[in-house]
Amino acid sequence: MRQSSLVVVANRLPVDDSVAPDGACEWRRSPGGLVGALHPILQQTPATWVGWTGDAGDAPTLPDVDGVRMHAVALSAEDIRDHYEGFANATLWPLYHDSVEHPTYHRRWWEAYQRVNQRFADAAAETAEPGALVWVQDYHLQLVPGMLRALRPDLLIGFFLHVPFPPPELFMQLPRRAELLLGMLGADLVGFQRVQAAHNFAQLAAKVLKVPATDRRIAVEGRVVRVGAFPVSIDMAEMEALSARPDVAARAVQLRADLGDPQHVILSVDRMDYTKGIEHRLQAFSELIAEGHIKVHDTVMVQVAVPSRERVAQYQILRDRVEREVGRINGEFGRVGEPAIHYLNQSFDRSELAALYRVADIMAVTPLRDGMNLVAKEYVAARVDDTGALLLSEFAGAAAEFQQAYLVNPHDLDGLKLTLLHALDASPADITDRMRSMRAHLRVHDIRAWARSYLTALDRSGALAARLTP
Ligand code: F6P
């Protein structure tokens, strides 16, 4: 077993398998999300990524991808059902997102969560060289830092939560709340997207575990665990370069023509998830049409809803509801060749996404709760000519950084409608001012800055962060 000085542990491996022309299975880096976020760092450091392929069954032996070693963890169909679809996505996910859907608690799911976390911890312990830095990601693996510390006290362990961390009123519902907190506290540094999340965590540690805790430091089991906010970001330069490509620019022109060359294009790109506020947004748009504020001929909406977690009941119910509503709106307000909403329940590759961002005069990112929302950041990065309005929920982590966006409370339908109209009517100068300032912020706070700040805080010797190019 080859060992590495940097090990990333995440639920998913950053690869997709695709079939090459000769029939062989190829593993390629998959785009977007957490994977996109960490990739630039891993390329600059000898590293191993421990994760799951997305399929049930034995763990395949994988080739290195772009110089990064891939270590697959096996999950059985039962593990996927009870760990990924169960405890991670039907207990923790809704609980951490303001309980906008009811979290479900099953003891069997908790057992699977422990079992699968132990498997990831074992794999990390195997692949980490003495004194290595291991960076554990997200809510699927909250027990891993504690399990790993028990196996390998020599390691420097980081944990970063990509999703929101809830206030005590919600977290206290969790039957196994103390174990989850202790699991995270196995790390040397626990990172969150927002300062409020770090505060919630410290309050909970004090309340549940009765340990001395501030928003920056928690004393537990004779160690001091550091806590902080490190808002994740994107590779701005990559998205800018993609968006500026002549073929992407040409595709954007084509897309606009295909949409009937309307005056305004409003775009939303979400995973099909009940946290994303898709139904609230559809309702706001439909009311604006019904009240005559928006004409379907002038203003089209494009809703991309990428299929997600399709075996989880709440996601199936949401998809049915969204599709019924899109059908109703198009049936009522569309005309032949002119639907009110262009609805796409599919994934897009990065260049098609960049072309869509270029077409969008308004990008509506209005989740009910979101850890960060990297789509909002990608849109800003793609607007290389400083145009485009970002309509952004106050409840997305990105709102803490993008105060120049058109900020909305997505629960307030009248406020959402008014702000959308305001963005549609805004002067080009106002739009450019806002976009320029968001782009300036993003340029400084890109993915490399995020990695550097987290890794510098974790590894105070600075050795690892120094390997990251500016
Ligand atoms: O936002 C949390 C997250 O796990 C991201 O890291 C990921 O890109 C997204 O949700 C999709 O999740 P899944 O692995 O369930 O498809």
Side-chain angles (χ1 to χ4, degrees):
M1 170 70 61
R2 292 181 299 174
Q3 293 193 317
S4 301
S5 57
L6 172 62
V7 178
V8 170
V9 190
N11 182 50
R12 284 186 190 271
L13 284 166
V15 290
D16 287 327
D17 58 340
S18 49
V19 180
D22 63 358
C25 204
E26 253 179 36
W27 292 86
R28 287 204 213 124
R29 174 165 86 93
S30 53
L34 168 62
V35 171
L38 291 180
H39 188 255
I41 308 146
L42 296 171
Q43 271 191 314
Q44 292 165 34
T45 316
T48 296
W49 188 303
V50 173
W52 168 52
T53 60
D55 293 322
D58 293 342
T61 303
L62 301 175
D64 296 357
V65 174
D66 292 353
V68 182
R69 298 166 187 169
M70 297 290 133
H71 183 102
V73 174
L75 293 193
S76 66
E78 192 188 349
D79 294 332
I80 295 168
R81 188 190 65 204
D82 294 347
H83 169 262
Y84 171 70
E85 293 161 1
F87 198 80
N89 285 315
T91 303
L92 295 179
W93 181 268
L95 184 72
Y96 285 12
H97 289 84
D98 284 357
S99 277
V100 293
E101 286 287 347
H102 283 300
T104 309
Y105 304 107
H106 287 306
R107 282 165 286 186
R108 193 182 69 238
W109 291 357
W110 169 250
E111 282 158 23
Y113 190 76
Q114 286 176 294
R115 177 172 79 234
V116 169
N117 272 247
Q118 189 65 59
R119 212 171 298 151
F120 275 81
D122 292 344
E126 241 179 86
T127 49
E129 69 180 35
L133 188 156
V134 180
W135 196 1
V136 183
Q137 309 288 327
D138 230 351
Y139 62 103
H140 316 84
L141 302 176
Q142 281 172 234
L143 301 178
V144 169
M147 292 170 165
L148 191 53
R149 181 163 299 280
L151 291 166
R152 292 283 306 272
D154 61 299
L155 300 174
L156 193 55
I157 303 171
F159 178 78
F160 186 79
L161 189 72
H162 289 255
V163 299
F165 191 76
E169 304 85 86
L170 286 175
F171 190 84
M172 290 302 281
Q173 286 182 19
L174 260 180
R176 310 309 287 256
R177 59 202 185 194
E179 284 105 312
L180 272 177
L181 292 172
L182 278 171
M184 293 163 82
L185 286 166
D188 294 288
L189 173 66
V190 180
F192 297 94
Q193 302 278 24
R194 297 186 78 154
V195 173
Q196 182 63 47
H199 176 69
N200 293 345
F201 183 65
Q203 275 196 313
L204 277 159
K207 189 178 165 82
V208 176
L209 305 176
K210 312 267 181 290
V211 295
T214 69
D215 293 3
R216 288 169 170 271
R217 283 185 168 71
I218 299 176
V220 63
E221 293 167 354
R223 298 181 301 118
V224 173
V225 178
R226 281 168 297 124
V227 179
F230 304 86
V232 76
S233 195
I234 59 157
D235 190 343
M236 178 165 185
E238 185 202 39
M239 179 47 81
E240 274 187 309
L242 185 60
S243 168
R245 252 170 40 189
D247 60 316
V248 172
R251 178 69 187 139
V253 172
Q254 180 63 51
L255 279 168
R256 195 161 196 114
D258 291 347
L259 291 169
D261 272 322
Q263 237 175 302
H264 304 284
V265 175
I266 303 170
L267 172 69
S268 288
V269 178
D270 306 286
R271 274 185 313 98
M272 178 67 91
D273 194 301
Y274 49 81
T275 60
K276 301 293 181 185
I278 301 172
E279 290 174 285
H280 297 64
R281 199 186 303 138
L282 291 177
Q283 189 177 344
F285 187 63
S286 142
E287 287 185 15
L288 287 172
I289 302 172
E291 291 160 6
H293 297 292
I294 281 180
K295 301 262 174 297
V296 166
H297 180 71
D298 301 333
T299 304
V300 302
M301 181 168 184
V302 179
Q303 172 68 62
V304 175
V306 177
S308 183
R309 305 174 190 164
E310 290 183 295
R311 285 161 28 133
V312 178
Q314 287 157 327
Y315 288 75
Q316 293 165 357
I317 294 166
L318 173 76
R319 180 174 166 185
D320 286 348
R321 286 203 310 243
V322 165
E323 295 188 346
R324 196 174 327 124
E325 187 58 7
V326 169
R328 183 192 70 75
I329 296 170
N330 281 341
E332 207 166 314
F333 302 113
R335 295 195 215 148
V336 173
E338 264 183 14
I341 298 171
H342 293 253
Y343 166 73
L344 301 148
N345 182 228
Q346 48 195 274
S347 317
F348 285 91
D349 67 26
R350 305 274 308 148
S351 55
E352 186 73 358
L353 217 46
L356 278 168
Y357 292 146
R358 282 190 67 127
V359 173
D361 306 299
I362 296 188
M363 182 83 204
V365 181
T366 58
L368 306 178
R369 176 60 73 190
D370 213 331
M372 175 50 65
N373 199 297
L374 296 178
V375 164
K377 292 192 169 179
E378 285 184 352
Y379 176 68
V380 168
R383 303 302 299 193
V384 285
D385 62 358
D386 294 334
T387 62
L390 175 64
L391 189 73
L392 180 62
S393 165
E394 294 165 11
F395 303 115
E401 295 172 80
F402 289 160
Q403 286 294 307
Q404 294 298 314
Y406 292 87
L407 293 174
V408 291
N409 169 2
H411 297 278
D412 171 11
L413 274 179
D414 287 336
L416 182 54
K417 285 159 65 182
L418 273 175
T419 313
L420 182 53
L421 288 179
H422 180 195
L424 282 167
D425 290 343
S427 70
D430 182 33
I431 287 191
T432 296
D433 276 357
R434 289 169 182 258
M435 184 51 77
R436 262 200 198 127
S437 109
M438 291 189 286
R439 287 176 57 75
H441 173 90
L442 194 56
R443 197 162 285 121
V444 177
H445 298 91
D446 73 346
I447 184 62
R448 287 177 183 80
W450 171 70
R452 196 177 307 111
S453 71
Y454 183 89
L455 292 173
T456 309
L458 175 58
D459 174 18
R460 285 172 160 171
S461 74
L464 192 67
R467 278 190 245 160
L468 300 174
T469 52

